């Protein structure tokens, strides 16, 4: 069954969920759980594996999406580590980089959605 706009909307929600959880960590609302930064346990990473790849694995944008997500998760983990070490403002300022990755992910999702 081809991917629908609903499938891509689910991916966008999963991305917002990650950013929200990361922001909660960087503002002391929740603890940084290792699963938050794991590609295989991240909801968007799981969506890529279970929904997107079975339908569009051959498209270069899928690999790029996975790479950008991994960079976003790694950056988020680095920011959480900075926060835990007491570098609060530095960690929070790094959210700009996470947002830049998020914008790249949005561009890739839009491209893949149009091609679906």
């Amino acid at each position: 069954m081809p991917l629908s706009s609903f499938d891509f909307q689910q991916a966008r929600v999963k991305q917002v969920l990650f950013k929200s959880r990361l922001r909660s960590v960087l503002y002391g609302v929740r603890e940084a759980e290792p699963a938050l930064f794991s590609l295989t346990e991240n909801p968007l990473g799981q969506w890529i594996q279970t929904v997107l790849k079975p339908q569009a694995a051959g498209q270069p944008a899928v690999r790029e999406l996975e790479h950008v997500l991994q960079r976003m998760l790694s950056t988020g983990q680095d920011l959480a580590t900075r926060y835990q070490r007491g570098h609060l403002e530095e960690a929070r300022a790094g959210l700009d980089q996470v947002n830049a990755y998020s914008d790249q992910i949005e561009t890739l999702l839009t491209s893949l959605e149009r091609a679906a």
Side-chain angles (χ1 to χ4, degrees), residues 25 50 86 93 110 116:
V25 168
T50 60
T110 299

Side-chain angles (χ1 to χ4, degrees), residues 48 52-53 56-71 108 112:
I48 292 169
L52 185 61
K53 278 190 171 181
Q59 293 188 38
V62 173
R63 286 188 301 282
E64 181 63 18
L65 177 62
E66 203 166 34
H67 290 257
V68 173
L69 175 59
Q70 182 60 63
R71 289 194 299 267
L108 290 164
L112 287 163

Side-chain angles (χ1 to χ4, degrees), residues 25-98:
V25 168
L26 299 181
Y27 283 90
V29 177
R30 68 182 319 155
E31 292 293 318
E33 303 160 2
L36 181 61
F37 308 109
S38 166
L39 186 62
T40 58
E41 295 181 55
N42 175 275
L44 181 56
Q46 291 173 342
W47 180 86
I48 292 169
Q49 290 300 317
T50 60
V51 177
L52 185 61
K53 278 190 171 181
Q55 296 291 321
Q59 293 188 38
V62 173
R63 286 188 301 282
E64 181 63 18
L65 177 62
E66 203 166 34
H67 290 257
V68 173
L69 175 59
Q70 182 60 63
R71 289 194 299 267
M72 184 169 77
L73 295 175
S74 295
T75 299
Q77 187 170 32
D78 178 58
L79 297 178
T81 299
R82 289 177 194 201
Y83 176 82
Q84 290 167 343
R85 292 181 179 160
H87 303 281
L88 309 182
E89 294 308 313
E90 183 181 319
R92 292 172 186 159
L95 285 170
D96 288 343
Q97 183 61 50
V98 171

